[in-house]
Amino acid sequence: MIYFDSAATTLQKPEAVSRAVAGAIQSMTTPGRGDYPAARRAAELMLRCRTEAAELFGVPEPDNVILTSNATHGLNIAIKSLVSPGDTVVISGYEHNAVTRPLRAVGGVSARIVNGRLFDPEQMAEGFRKAVDGSVKAAVCTHVSNVFGYALPIDEIAAVCRERGVPLIVDASQSAGILPVNLQKWGAAYVAMPGHKGLYGPQGTGLLLCGEGQPRPLLEGGTGSLSRQQEMPDFLPDRLEAGTQNVHGAAGLLEGLRFVRRQGLGRIAGHEAALIRQLAEGLRRKGTYHVYDGGDSPVLSVIPRQTDPESAADLLARQGVAVRAGLHCAPLAHQTAGTAETGTMRFSASVFNTPEEVDHVLSLL
């Protein structure tokens, strides 16, 4: 199979990831629940994972790196820590349901949506400058659109939020492991990311990077600390990590983080963007696809002119090529871009894809 759906989940992983998971299953239990070797190994592993992530993503203290089950888990913690019923929140017009549904669940939230043309970061930055004012309790913004690969001007948006004292939540689901992500530089309140995409970790893993402030636990329960106390601890990471942690997943995620650091963000981003440019140019030459291409992204959305995206994706699947079609859990992005009626067929690359695979896909389309 040729796999071009890494914006959903990277299928090909470094061999060290699966080895680490298997090794952890055989040798580790749960940190903080015993003073014997298997528990100590687990505690050491979790600290190494937090430290690796802190160094990669500009987090001053490893304890401010929270292990989550995915980016959605982290975004729920972040949003529900900062947003209350009746609050006004600013979001981009390219947000995933992992942002819009938690906001809806809070209830009574007024969301100011900053729309803007695709691949026009100046317009998006200006929209946030106009929308973020003293009445806003938080801003939430995706770093890169999961539908179109559109990199939003997060540095400029973060600067606006800092200047106006508005906490910023960044969804780095499509950028972590590909583009620079830096909690401290942005001054963000929270940055959420999955482990199973650009970080090449297992499914069921993720990270929430926490800035200053006291986050609200999404779950309460045992932490292995302050067990006589019936309130959750007031310190990180224990405050946000109730129950038994996914130590085996963290072992794989640690190896994924190390792989990304060895490869280097520049090399990864350059390789993936080159493949998508090759694909976009080939599809334009065919003239039978509407191509949404930002020119420097690992994600490409297209709409076939002669059929619908689902049928085109199904045809590729029957020929051994995995892509995704539909709304990609981001109806707001399609409404903003004008593709809500049809959805798109999305190609997304990883470091394991090759130019020869792109050529083969083009020969099938």
Side-chain angles (χ1 to χ4, degrees), residues 283-284 287-292 301-305 339 344-345:
L283 290 174
R284 284 199 188 92
T288 53
Y289 292 86
H290 189 103
V291 179
Y292 294 88
S301 261
V302 303
I303 298 177
R305 300 187 191 277
T339 57
T344 63
M345 180 168 66

Side-chain angles (χ1 to χ4, degrees), residues 22-348:
I25 288 172
Q26 295 166 359
S27 66
M28 297 182 193
T29 57
T30 301
R33 270 70 166 184
D35 190 27
Y36 46 84
R40 288 199 299 271
R41 281 193 292 268
E44 292 163 2
L45 177 280
M46 297 296 274
L47 178 57
R48 288 198 299 273
C49 188
R50 296 185 210 281
T51 301
E52 192 79 24
E55 292 174 357
L56 182 58
F57 299 122
V59 184
E61 295 295 332
D63 283 351
N64 283 41
V65 176
I66 307 303
L67 277 294
T68 63
S69 59
N70 45 50
T72 300
H73 180 188
L75 287 166
N76 269 266
I77 293 172
I79 288 168
K80 292 169 185 177
S81 292
L82 293 177
V83 181
S84 301
D87 285 350
T88 297
V89 177
V90 176
I91 66 173
S92 85
Y94 294 91
E95 298 308 310
H96 190 279
N97 281 343
V99 167
T100 58
R101 285 179 173 173
L103 287 172
R104 179 68 174 268
V106 169
V109 174
S110 174
R112 293 181 187 169
I113 301 173
V114 179
N115 293 313
R117 292 183 299 272
L118 270 174
F119 313 117
D120 189 340
E122 291 183 7
Q123 186 185 53
M124 181 61 65
E126 181 60 27
F128 269 84
R129 279 190 283 270
K130 292 178 179 178
V132 175
D133 59 29
S135 68
V136 172
K137 291 299 178 69
V140 191
C141 186
T142 186
H143 190 182
V144 175
S145 166
N146 74 303
V147 179
F148 301 103
Y150 169 29
L152 279 70
I154 198 67
D155 289 348
E156 290 81 357
I157 291 168
V160 169
C161 292
R162 288 196 307 272
E163 290 165 5
R164 299 177 188 179
V166 173
L168 173 65
I169 300 169
V170 179
D171 177 2
S173 294
Q174 300 299 329
S175 59
I178 302 168
L179 300 178
V181 170
N182 193 299
L183 175 80
Q184 195 167 31
K185 175 185 175 184
W186 292 338
Y190 298 97
V191 178
M193 63 189 68
H196 66 276
K197 298 186 183 187
L199 300 182
Y200 296 93
Q203 285 112 305
T205 63
L207 299 171
L208 178 65
L209 317 179
C210 299
E212 297 180 0
Q214 182 72 302
R216 185 181 304 166
L218 196 64
L219 297 171
E220 290 80 25
T223 60
S225 60
L226 303 182
S227 293
R228 294 183 184 275
Q229 175 179 301
Q230 289 304 290
E231 295 77 28
M232 288 296 288
D234 61 0
F235 53 87
L236 297 177
D238 296 39
R239 184 169 178 78
L240 299 180
E241 292 186 4
T244 299
Q245 297 137 306
N246 182 6
V247 173
H248 309 148
L253 178 56
L254 172 59
E255 291 304 325
L257 289 163
R258 288 171 170 169
F259 173 79
V260 167
R261 294 190 77 185
R262 285 195 302 270
Q263 294 289 314
L265 297 182
R267 179 183 178 279
I268 291 172
H271 174 78
E272 295 177 2
L275 294 174
I276 292 301
R277 283 195 299 271
Q278 177 188 350
L279 181 59
E281 290 165 4
L283 290 174
R284 284 199 188 92
R285 285 195 295 271
K286 289 179 180 292
T288 53
Y289 292 86
H290 189 103
V291 179
Y292 294 88
D293 174 29
D296 196 23
S297 167
V299 176
L300 178 72
S301 261
V302 303
I303 298 177
R305 300 187 191 277
Q306 298 172 345
T307 185
D308 60 272
E310 286 82 0
S311 296
D314 182 62
L315 179 61
L316 283 176
R318 284 186 272 123
Q319 298 177 91
V321 178
V323 299
R324 184 174 176 183
L327 297 180
H328 316 292
C329 300
L332 179 59
H334 288 280
Q335 292 166 18
T336 302
T339 57
E341 185 175 343
T342 60
T344 63
M345 180 168 66
R346 184 186 70 186
F347 299 84
S348 49

